[in-house]
Amino acid sequence: MEWPRARASIGVKLLLGYTAVLSISVSIIAAFVYTQVAHRINRDARLLLEVQAQDLAEAYRGRLEDGEPAQVLPWLQEHVQRLLRNADPSLRLGIAFASESGEMLLRAGSLRDVEVPLSTSLLEGERDSALRAVNLGDEFAYLSQALRVPGGFIQVVIHTERYAENIAHIRDVFLLSLPLLLLLTASGGWLLVRGSLRPIARITQTARRISGSNLEESVPVTGSGDELDQLATTLNEMLARIHDSVERMRRFNANAAHELRTPLTAISSQIEVTLAKQRSAEEYPEVMRGVLETVRALADSVDAMLRLARSEAGLDPDHRVAVALAPVVGTVCEFFEPLADESELRLEVGPLPRAVVLGDAEWLHQLFSNLVANAIKYTPAGGVVSVGGEAEGGWARLWVRDSGAGIPPEALDRIFERYSRVGSTHAGFGLGLPIALEIAKAHGGQIEAASGPDSGTTFTVWLPLAAPEVRP
Ligand code: ADP
């Protein structure tokens, strides 16, 4: 069984992840700082104790130069009292002096009422000094430092409460500030995450509103240039493309309906007129021929529409094959040769490039047929239609040139639009050039038209060459 996945928003996931990483890293840093500081504080306490003990031992030794240990004892007592008076009371300094056998001869300060026995290693002479923690029945431990001196031992103790308090204080600061810091960063993070995800919410809202009928809407762009802004721009570009193609489709549908309507109306009125009165048997074949002609034109028009729809859908990349252009263009010219003769035109062919493109031979045949058919159609008798090409810089460039009346400059932009018959008096569907252009585009190419008054028209087809290793 599959468990339902929790549906947390990106914002919540980001925030949880970010807070978890932050808490772990801050806790590690806090623990490290805490142990370091605690170590330093303990070391400071030991140093202070050592200094106290050494100073006292130094003073004792200096005094001893003048007499016996027993004689120095009264002086020591006085000196210790002075030290205790001047010492910081929070240290709870305790000082003791023991004989060489370990018997306590003097005890003052916090050692007055308790005796801290000297360690055996010190008494047995294994060591000259001993530092250890001792418990004098208090909540906090004392640190004791004992030193061997001539004629006995000096022992100094200090209370560790002050140090322990410092360490506890630092721990409390960390324990208190850590949740506070996490709370602050989590709320700051939440604001940041929400702010940066707001564009996504706006994109989602707009996308929900957009449908086939309001494709003009666009996703708001902030102009910040960040990733979300780039996404919004890309979506807008995509919407614009979809809008364009939907518009083109709408126009095409309307035009196609109109185009089909005209011959259909012609057929129905031909039949109506025929049926309006009694006809002789000879009249019917005449009428039927007229109807057949219109039906054929209708079928041609539907064929052209289907071809356009297919070429618009693009070439299936898996079914592209290497096609040599020269044989395709050569066959087209051979096919149109009789028509050119009939129209009293000269059809010149060549030179043709030894170029190979990746695509569909039948489609390319259609492309050049449409261009050559137009050139013959729009060139008056006595004119010349020439077809040629060359390969250059990874491209095949082929031209179909005629010496016809040309296309007016203001109409040149519209000739590739569907059903645009620019002042043409010839029969046609206005789909020949759009089909040719779609085929060129499906092959990654383009078609350009150039025309001047009385200088004829040249259509140039650009097609990308197949890689050199692809040969038919
Ligand atoms: P049509 O079926 O009308 O020929 P096309 O799409 O093939 O439709 O061409 C669109 C229009 O472009 C034509 O109606 C014509 O006005 C113009 N045109 C196309 N080819 C030529 C040409 N070689 N010389 C002059 N005009 C042309």
Side-chain angles (χ1 to χ4, degrees):
M1 190 184 110
E2 215 176 289
W3 292 101
R5 280 165 66 100
R7 292 207 306 162
S9 78
I10 296 182
V12 172
K13 279 189 216 155
L14 272 178
L15 191 72
L16 285 180
Y18 154 79
T19 316
V21 170
L22 190 84
S23 1
I24 293 170
S25 40
V26 170
S27 304
I28 292 173
I29 293 172
F32 177 72
V33 172
Y34 171 74
T35 44
Q36 286 294 312
V37 172
H39 177 75
R40 270 172 183 272
I41 289 177
N42 282 327
R43 201 188 57 186
D44 283 354
R46 285 199 306 273
L47 270 176
L48 180 85
L49 181 64
E50 232 171 271
V51 168
Q52 292 275 356
Q54 290 291 358
D55 279 358
L56 186 59
E58 211 51 47
Y60 170 80
R61 280 196 200 97
R63 194 74 194 180
L64 203 63
E65 280 171 12
D66 307 333
E68 285 295 299
Q71 292 164 339
V72 176
L73 209 57
W75 168 85
L76 187 64
Q77 208 142 22
E78 232 175 84
H79 184 71
V80 164
Q81 288 309 325
R82 218 174 20 251
L83 277 180
L84 289 173
R85 269 198 305 278
N86 293 337
D88 179 350
S90 71
L91 275 178
R92 297 201 213 164
L93 195 64
I95 298 174
F97 182 78
S99 67
E100 281 185 329
S101 63
E103 186 196 344
M104 288 297 171
L105 303 176
L106 184 158
R107 287 206 320 256
S110 49
L111 285 178
R112 205 179 56 197
D113 302 328
V114 270
E115 186 181 324
V116 175
L118 298 173
S119 62
T120 40
S121 58
L122 196 68
L123 286 172
E124 286 166 9
E126 286 168 24
R127 292 198 285 163
D128 286 338
S129 73
L131 176 79
R132 62 196 172 113
V134 289
N135 196 332
L136 301 187
D138 201 334
E139 188 192 338
F140 293 94
Y142 280 76
L143 266 182
S144 148
Q145 166 89 351
L147 289 179
R148 174 185 297 281
V149 287
F153 299 95
I154 281 178
Q155 185 183 35
V156 180
V157 298
I158 55 167
H159 198 220
T160 57
E161 182 178 2
R162 199 174 82 174
Y163 298 99
E165 266 178 354
N166 282 346
I167 294 173
H169 182 66
I170 288 168
R171 186 197 58 208
D172 291 347
V173 166
F174 277 143
L175 287 181
L176 246 164
S177 57
L178 219 68
L180 206 71
L181 179 89
L182 284 182
L183 197 77
L184 272 175
T185 44
S187 10
W190 178 237
L191 288 180
L192 270 175
V193 165
R194 241 188 27 176
S196 33
L197 291 183
R198 202 166 291 138
I200 294 193
R202 281 204 296 266
I203 291 173
T204 314
Q205 270 171 8
T206 318
R208 275 205 193 110
R209 275 203 309 274
I210 292 173
S211 69
S213 53
N214 63 344
L215 281 168
E216 311 73 34
E217 270 219 46
S218 58
V219 177
V221 176
T222 58
S224 64
D226 61 13
E227 286 85 345
L228 290 180
D229 220 35
Q230 286 172 22
L231 173 69
T233 313
T234 313
L235 283 177
N236 283 340
E237 285 165 5
M238 187 184 83
L239 278 175
R241 281 198 301 273
I242 295 177
H243 179 245
D244 275 0
S245 57
V246 168
E247 270 309 301
R248 252 190 302 148
M249 224 136 62
R250 272 198 199 125
R251 269 204 312 274
F252 178 73
N253 288 347
N255 289 337
H258 179 77
E259 287 298 310
L260 295 181
R261 212 185 138 78
T262 315
L264 285 174
T265 314
I267 294 171
S268 77
S269 55
Q270 271 173 307
I271 296 173
E272 272 168 20
V273 168
T274 314
L275 292 178
K277 55 177 185 169
Q278 197 65 40
R279 305 274 169 187
S280 65
E282 295 81 52
E283 274 176 289
Y284 282 110
E286 186 65 26
V287 174
M288 293 311 277
R289 263 193 292 279
V291 171
L292 182 64
E293 211 169 286
T294 324
V295 169
R296 277 194 183 136
L298 191 62
D300 285 351
S301 172
V302 170
D303 266 357
M305 280 177 207
L306 286 176
R307 269 198 301 276
L308 181 61
R310 258 189 315 168
S311 51
E312 224 179 11
L315 267 175
D316 182 352
D318 293 340
H319 289 97
R320 286 165 182 246
V321 289
V323 181
L325 284 177
V328 172
V329 179
T331 320
V332 170
C333 293
E334 268 171 38
F335 178 82
F336 280 100
E337 192 69 64
L339 185 64
D341 280 349
E342 204 177 293
S343 312
E344 295 170 34
L345 297 173
R346 196 148 43 84
L347 180 58
E348 292 177 355
V349 186
L352 290 175
R354 283 170 48 84
V356 175
V357 297
L358 267 190
D360 183 307
E362 210 178 303
W363 284 25
L364 292 168
H365 193 277
Q366 179 77 56
L367 188 170
F368 291 106
S369 295
N370 290 7
L371 296 183
V372 175
N374 274 352
I376 294 175
K377 192 158 65 173
Y378 296 109
T379 306
V384 183
V385 171
S386 65
V387 181
E390 59 189 13
E392 56 176 50
W395 290 85
R397 187 169 73 90
L398 294 118
W399 58 82
V400 177
R401 196 172 288 149
D402 64 59
S403 61
I407 304 167
E410 66 278 7
L412 212 53
D413 291 341
R414 284 186 289 121
I415 52 171
F416 288 102
E417 284 174 19
R418 285 116 209 250
Y419 302 109
S420 74
R421 259 165 278 164
V422 188
S424 163
T425 49
H426 295 266
F429 307 118
L431 290 179
L433 289 181
I435 290 175
L437 181 64
E438 287 302 336
I439 293 177
K441 280 186 181 168
H443 285 79
Q446 190 52 268
I447 302 184
E448 286 165 5
S451 186
D454 303 325
S455 64
T457 308
T458 304
F459 284 92
T460 311
V461 182
W462 294 90
L463 293 170
L465 294 177
E469 64 269 20
V470 183
R471 288 286 171 241

